Amino acid sequence: MTGPRSPRRVVSLVPSLTEAVAACAPELLVGATDWCSHPAGLDVARIGGTKNPDLGAIAALAPGLVLANEEENRPQDLAALRAAGTNVLVTEVRTLDQAWRELTRVLVDGCGLPRPGWLAAAEAAWRELPAPAAERTAVVPIWRRPWMVLGRDTFAGDLLARLGLRNRYAGHADRYPRVPLDELNTAGAELVVLPDEPYRFTAEDGPEAFPALPAALVSGRHLTWYGPSLAEAPAVLAEALAAAS
C-alpha cells in the first residue's frame, strides 16, 4: 500500500529503480525507459532511452515524481524536467552501502512506501557473505571497440571487492578508463570478468581477446543493478567467478 506522501504517478529513468518500484507498488509506475527490462511484462509507457528520454512524452504523463541517477542520466535532461516543474529525485550509487541508503530514499522517502522485505533480504545476503578464501586480481571490461574497463569508485567494483576480486584499475584516475587491449593482457591480472551489459559479452565474444586469462561471464543485472536482484547477486556472482579458475 502507498502512504500519504506517495506520488500517484512515477516515471523511472533507471532500470534498477524501475524494478525496485515495480517489486513494491507497480501501480505507481506510469513510464519507464526502453532499457527497463524487469520485471518482465511491465506495462507502462516507454519514454526513450536513459541518455535520450523523450521529455515531451514524460511531461504528457504528468508524473508526480521522476526517478533518475547521476551517472545514467544526463544533467541537461534532468534540468529541463525541473524547469518544467517536474519533481526529480536523483540518486548516486557508487558503493553497496550507498545503494541501501538510496533505495530507502527512493522507496520510502520518495514513493512513500514501507521499506520492502526484499531490501532487508538483500542486505542480509551481503552481510552474511563469507570472507573470500583468497583474492584474485581482475580486469573488468564493460565495452569493446574501444576497450573500456571498470576504474575507480564504481558500484560494480565494490561488489566484486566483497567477492574477493582486486580490480586492477581501481586506482585509475577515471571511473571507466579506455585501456588498449594489449595493456589489459599484460596488466598482471589473474582473471577477466565479462558482464553481459552494457556491452553484451558472451562465450563467443570477449574471452578470445584474453587468451592467457580465465574468463568469468557474469550477469550484468546482478553486477550493476541495485534493486531486488541484489538479494541473489552474491550467490549468482560467486558461482560465476568460481567457475573461472
Side-chain angles (χ1 to χ4, degrees):
M1 296 177 61
T2 60
R5 294 171 294 153
S6 172
R8 291 179 296 174
R9 301 174 65 81
V10 174
V11 170
S12 173
L13 303 182
V14 186
S16 298
L17 299 180
T18 300
E19 184 179 21
V21 174
C24 302
E27 69 279 3
L28 292 183
L29 284 169
V30 295
T33 74
D34 298 340
W35 298 106
C36 293
S37 57
H38 288 72
L42 181 66
D43 185 18
V44 297
R46 300 294 176 162
I47 48 76
T50 57
K51 304 296 186 187
N52 58 343
D54 184 333
L55 302 183
I58 295 173
L61 292 170
L65 180 66
V66 171
L67 301 176
N69 175 263
E70 52 91 26
E71 181 175 49
E72 295 193 53
N73 308 119
R74 302 188 308 170
Q76 58 266 40
D77 292 327
L78 306 183
L81 288 169
R82 289 193 175 105
T86 304
N87 183 26
V88 182
L89 189 161
V90 183
T91 59
E92 178 185 279
V93 178
R94 301 189 181 187
T95 67
L96 185 59
D97 290 338
Q98 197 174 25
W100 306 139
R101 295 193 296 270
E102 292 288 65
L103 284 166
T104 299
R105 187 163 74 97
V106 166
L107 298 172
V108 179
D109 300 334
C111 295
L113 300 168
R115 200 168 193 272
W118 61 257
L119 185 50
E123 288 177 314
W126 283 96
R127 185 172 59 246
E128 296 164 7
L129 186 68
E135 288 190 333
R136 289 186 286 176
T137 299
V139 292
V140 190
I142 58 166
W143 203 258
R144 67 182 302 174
R145 296 186 292 272
W147 286 95
M148 298 174 67
V149 299
L150 290 185
R152 63 169 179 85
D153 193 25
T154 67
F155 175 70
D158 186 35
L159 264 57
L160 291 174
R162 294 167 187 263
L163 292 163
L165 291 189
R166 293 187 299 268
N167 177 9
R168 174 62 181 79
Y169 290 93
H172 198 281
D174 297 329
R175 297 185 65 217
Y176 302 102
R178 296 186 180 189
V179 183
L181 182 59
D182 57 352
E183 180 181 329
L184 294 178
N185 272 297
T186 57
E190 303 163 81
L191 174 72
V192 58
V193 178
L194 299 169
D196 62 10
E197 62 175 75
Y199 185 91
R200 187 172 180 80
F201 288 106
T202 67
E204 292 75 36
D205 185 359
E208 81 291 341
F210 302 89
L213 293 178
L217 294 164
V218 303
S219 162
R221 176 169 165 262
H222 291 97
L223 181 62
T224 65
W225 289 36
Y226 35 92
S229 59
L230 280 172
E232 59 187 16
V236 171
L237 294 173
E239 181 179 5
L241 296 175
S245 58

